[in-house]
Amino acid sequence: MKGIKKISQSQLFKITSLNSLSILLKIGIGLVTSKLLAVFVGPSGMALVGNLRNFMSSLENVATLGFQNGIVKYTAEVKDDKPELERFVTTVFISLLVVALVLSGGLFFLAPFFAHQLLGSKNDYTFVIKALALAVPWYAVSIVLLSLLNGLGKFKKVIWINILGNVIGLIVAVFLILKYQTLGALLAIVIAPALLLFVVFYVFSAEMAFLKTITIRDFDFSYLKKLSSYSLMALVSTVLGPLVLLSIRTNIIENVGIDQAGFWETMTRISSYYMLFVSTILTVYFLPKLASARDNQETKAIFWSYYKGILPVFIIGVTGLYLARFFIIKILFTQAFLEVESLFFWQLLGDVFKAAALVLGYQFFARKLTTAFIVSELFSLALFYFLSDYLIGLFGIQGVVIAQAIDNMVYLLVLILYFRKSLFNI
């Protein structure tokens, strides 16, 4: 408990109070939309929503080439050097706009194929994919602008943009789901992120006067080379990860049923809400600490402050969630989702292993261990995919959460072995 007190008295909660509000708002909005989806689209519609979300996540990261963290870093480094900032911004914008337009064109003309693969053949959702194709450049530009603002040190403004974007997203989702049910839910997923660009331009356009200076002659290939390591690390986790989830969900739909796939998506949504607290604390507080640690002794102290202060609280929290699982399902969803109860134990156990592994995994980013990160991530994704394929055949929908728990446990053991010197000073 001393670890909790120490963290609460540090800059962590002073600096991130607004971010905490943003997270709570995002969770609240997520719970409202989950209830709407449960009532108006049911388990089968939830599965389709999950498929589209996973596909969009991969698409957005491909469109931005995984540059987000790199954009923040290099913008912060050159923000006081106007000519260098102009070269960097020009390089990023031109590169990513070309990529986004190519992706948009390909997605638009292949819309029937993607609609069939992602959303099935029972309904024609080609229109949804075409709308997504038109929105891709908007996504790319808004993500880049937010990263640039973050790099310029406009943290509070970035958080406010996200808050306003989430509120607008909720309004759009409520309207479309009530009016068009499953089709509306799918359209809301596509439209809401695109509207974020209007929020960026309208609320904080004064901060982005430097965008007027973009000219092709300032394009600098050296920045693409600098951003490549960030791109590789981000694309492996943020592109391949959702694609693996998409493949697993497709396997569930084909072998167990679309409703069962919807139950897994429901459990995944619940997990994503409480995992936000761990990931945010790690990103805001522990990652900078790990990056500035000078030796193994300092790194060890940071690791164990997490294990003694944050992880026990997390375990207590998920234990409470397990005990309240029936109540949570009834409040957030409907009676049709009661089968989700059978997924709680393995999902929560797997998330405990995941929470324990995350702080070790952030050492990859803190030390820019690109190759080690890619190898470990590919190993974990492959293990999860093949384990789930095997265990779904044995245990049905429970097989996928059992596979996830085993994968997270093995990943934790691998990281403990890899970072043993920093963790135990041996």
Side-chain angles (χ1 to χ4, degrees):
M1 299 304 290
K2 290 182 179 179
I4 300 173
K5 185 178 180 181
K6 183 178 179 181
I7 291 174
S8 65
Q9 292 175 346
S10 70
Q11 289 184 319
L12 175 61
F13 288 96
K14 296 177 183 178
I15 295 174
T16 62
S17 58
L18 183 59
N19 194 43
S20 299
L21 171 63
S22 177
I23 292 170
L24 290 172
L25 179 63
K26 186 175 182 178
I27 292 173
I29 289 173
L31 297 178
V32 171
T33 54
S34 293
K35 185 69 175 182
L36 285 171
L37 290 170
V39 172
F40 290 98
V41 308
S44 60
M46 192 77 80
L48 296 181
V49 167
N51 275 1
L52 187 60
R53 281 189 185 279
N54 288 148
F55 180 70
M56 278 184 59
S57 179
S58 294
L59 191 67
E60 288 174 13
N61 283 286
V62 171
T64 56
L65 297 177
F67 281 176
Q68 292 96 307
N69 290 332
I71 292 172
V72 174
K73 172 184 169 60
Y74 289 113
T75 301
E77 286 185 0
V78 303
K79 64 182 180 181
D80 296 322
D81 185 341
K82 187 176 178 181
E84 199 65 27
L85 178 62
E86 290 175 359
R87 281 194 292 273
F88 176 69
V89 172
T90 296
T91 303
V92 168
F93 257 93
I94 292 177
S95 300
L96 298 189
L97 192 58
V98 169
V99 172
L101 290 174
V102 170
L103 283 175
S104 180
L107 192 60
F108 186 88
F109 290 109
L110 294 174
F113 169 78
F114 284 106
H116 177 77
Q117 293 297 316
L118 295 171
L119 306 174
S121 57
K122 291 185 178 180
N123 298 286
D124 184 9
Y125 289 123
T126 302
F127 174 72
V128 175
I129 302 300
K130 287 187 175 181
L132 175 59
L134 296 175
V136 167
W138 298 45
Y139 298 161
V141 172
S142 62
I143 291 171
V144 170
L145 289 178
L146 281 173
S147 299
L148 288 169
L149 286 173
N150 207 352
L152 291 171
K154 311 296 181 180
F155 306 118
K156 289 184 178 180
K157 293 184 176 181
V158 171
I159 294 171
W160 274 114
I161 288 175
N162 286 322
I163 289 174
L164 292 172
N166 286 329
V167 171
I168 291 172
L170 174 63
I171 295 170
V172 171
V174 170
F175 173 77
L176 290 175
I177 292 172
L178 291 177
K179 192 169 182 63
Y180 300 110
Q181 286 76 52
T182 301
L183 175 61
L186 296 173
L187 286 174
I189 294 172
V190 172
I191 294 172
L195 296 178
L196 185 65
L197 183 59
F198 288 101
V199 178
V200 176
F201 273 117
Y202 179 74
V203 180
F204 301 119
S205 57
E207 302 291 349
M208 297 176 293
F210 58 84
L211 295 178
K212 298 176 183 177
T213 64
I214 293 178
T215 57
I216 191 68
R217 67 175 180 272
D218 286 328
F219 192 92
D220 188 346
F221 279 100
S222 66
Y223 275 115
L224 294 182
K225 185 177 180 180
K226 291 178 180 179
L227 290 166
S228 61
S229 61
Y230 290 93
S231 182
L232 284 172
M233 295 176 74
L235 290 177
V236 168
S237 59
T238 59
V239 176
L240 290 183
L243 289 179
V244 168
L245 295 178
L246 180 59
S247 298
I248 292 172
R249 191 179 293 103
T250 300
N251 183 33
I252 295 171
I253 292 172
E254 292 176 350
N255 294 285
V256 188
I258 192 168
D259 284 351
Q260 298 295 313
F263 296 148
W264 181 46
E265 171 63 18
T266 302
M267 188 69 252
T268 301
R269 289 174 73 91
I270 295 171
S271 171
S272 69
Y273 298 146
Y274 59 75
M275 288 302 294
L276 266 177
F277 289 100
V278 174
S279 61
T280 302
I281 290 173
L282 282 165
T283 301
V284 174
Y285 184 78
F286 286 94
L287 178 58
K289 290 283 188 181
L290 289 170
S292 60
R294 290 170 293 183
D295 51 38
N296 284 342
Q297 192 63 36
E298 286 190 15
T299 302
K300 177 185 175 182
I302 295 165
F303 283 154
W304 286 104
S305 70
Y306 174 84
Y307 287 131
K308 293 176 181 178
I310 302 299
L311 191 60
V313 176
F314 179 77
I315 293 173
I316 293 170
V318 297
T319 301
L321 286 173
Y322 180 75
L323 296 175
R325 61 193 185 282
F326 286 106
F327 177 76
I328 291 170
I329 294 169
K330 290 177 181 179
I331 292 296
L332 299 184
F333 303 98
T334 65
Q335 293 285 340
F337 288 81
L338 283 178
E339 285 189 48
V340 175
E341 177 273 332
S342 66
L343 307 181
F344 264 75
F345 175 79
W346 289 104
Q347 179 70 50
L348 296 177
L349 179 63
D351 284 340
V352 170
F353 290 133
K354 182 178 181 179
L358 276 174
V359 69
L360 298 175
Y362 270 63
Q363 184 74 337
F364 289 127
F365 294 95
R367 295 285 173 258
K368 294 183 182 179
L369 303 171
T370 306
T371 302
F373 172 80
I374 291 174
V375 170
S376 65
E377 195 73 9
L378 290 176
F379 168 76
S380 177
L381 290 173
L383 180 62
F384 180 34
Y385 177 80
F386 290 111
L387 265 179
S388 64
D389 186 55
Y390 176 71
L391 293 177
I392 287 169
L394 294 178
F395 303 107
I397 190 60
Q398 278 195 356
V400 71
V401 283
I402 294 173
Q404 200 163 26
I406 294 173
D407 174 46
N408 289 340
M409 180 186 69
V410 172
Y411 188 65
L412 172 61
L413 294 174
V414 169
L415 293 190
I416 289 174
L417 182 62
Y418 188 81
F419 291 114
R420 63 190 181 280
K421 292 183 179 179
S422 299
L423 195 55
F424 304 110
N425 279 348
I426 56 175

